[in-house]
Amino acid sequence: MNPLHLLARALLCTVFTLISLGCTPPRKPDPPDVDALIAQLAEPVTDICAHRPELCERACANCPDVGACMKENGVCAALESYFIDVRDGGLNPFVPGCHMTYQDQACTVNGAFFDPDHCAGDTLYEWWQPACHPGFGDMVRIDCRKLCILMRRPGGTCEYIANICPGNRASGRCICDPPPIEP
């Protein structure tokens, strides 16, 4: 057999062997499931009165037994209030939301702004229940920085967006750093 033919054959065999061993360019990983990451990181805030006493004071202001209302995490047994989270459609830390209060079970009578989603450093405290519900125990805590890093971003933080809620009030949301520029 011709030496040049043998060399070409050896080269082709080497190339095919390298390709079969994984010498092809690496495939980009699939993007993360953002909803699953959010659900994994969202920690319920079980004692809102300890975390934000001013909220419970407002929620309990018209209650005949303010002390009992405060002990029950802002729920007044004598006067039921109903709440709904609007603007962000539920558990969505990237869209600022507004927590509204109502006097009826359908959340249609005497609606008033209660509280926005709020920031504490890189942490977002988000109201998340998009259906009308009694009491206001539907707050979760999400570490925006951790969420953004899990989304393969360099980092992230919590920031306020102005004029989102009634009365031109600001509301918090997570914002991720831009992805790194690929060469």
Side-chain angles (χ1 to χ4, degrees):
M1 196 177 258
N2 181 338
L4 190 55
H5 181 69
L6 286 173
L7 180 61
R9 186 174 175 186
L11 257 144
L12 280 173
C13 286
T14 303
V15 167
F16 287 126
T17 301
L18 289 174
I19 289 172
S20 69
L21 290 176
C23 294
T24 56
R27 195 181 113 217
K28 285 189 176 183
D30 291 333
D33 180 351
V34 176
D35 290 335
L37 292 176
I38 292 168
Q40 170 191 337
L41 291 176
E43 300 174 40
V45 178
T46 55
D47 193 353
I48 294 172
C49 291
H51 172 68
R52 303 255 324 268
E54 77 280 4
L55 290 180
C56 287
E57 288 168 10
R58 270 194 288 148
C60 296
N62 296 324
C63 187
D65 189 350
V66 174
C69 181
M70 293 294 284
K71 287 179 186 173
E72 290 301 315
N73 206 28
V75 177
C76 179
L79 301 171
E80 257 191 22
S81 292
Y82 296 87
F83 295 86
I84 189 168
D85 187 42
V86 298
R87 287 207 36 86
D88 58 3
L91 187 54
N92 187 344
F94 300 108
V95 178
C98 311
H99 209 55
M100 306 294 292
T101 184
Y102 293 85
Q103 300 303 309
D104 68 315
Q105 294 180 356
C107 288
T108 58
V109 177
N110 297 330
F113 173 73
F114 185 73
D115 192 52
D117 294 345
H118 69 278
C119 299
D122 292 337
T123 302
L124 172 69
Y125 289 86
E126 177 172 21
W127 301 102
W128 65 270
Q129 182 57 262
C132 190
H133 57 280
F136 62 94
D138 63 318
M139 180 185 281
V140 295
R141 173 181 28 247
I142 297 173
D143 184 324
C144 295
R145 182 171 212 55
K146 189 182 286 186
L147 174 60
C148 291
I149 289 170
L150 289 172
M151 292 174 56
R152 300 188 188 116
R153 298 290 189 88
T157 191
C158 189
E159 71 171 18
Y160 284 98
I161 304 298
N163 304 321
I164 293 294
C165 295
N168 297 319
R169 292 179 178 97
S171 182
R173 72 171 182 157
C174 290
I175 185 161
C176 296
D177 296 338
I181 298 172
E182 294 187 24

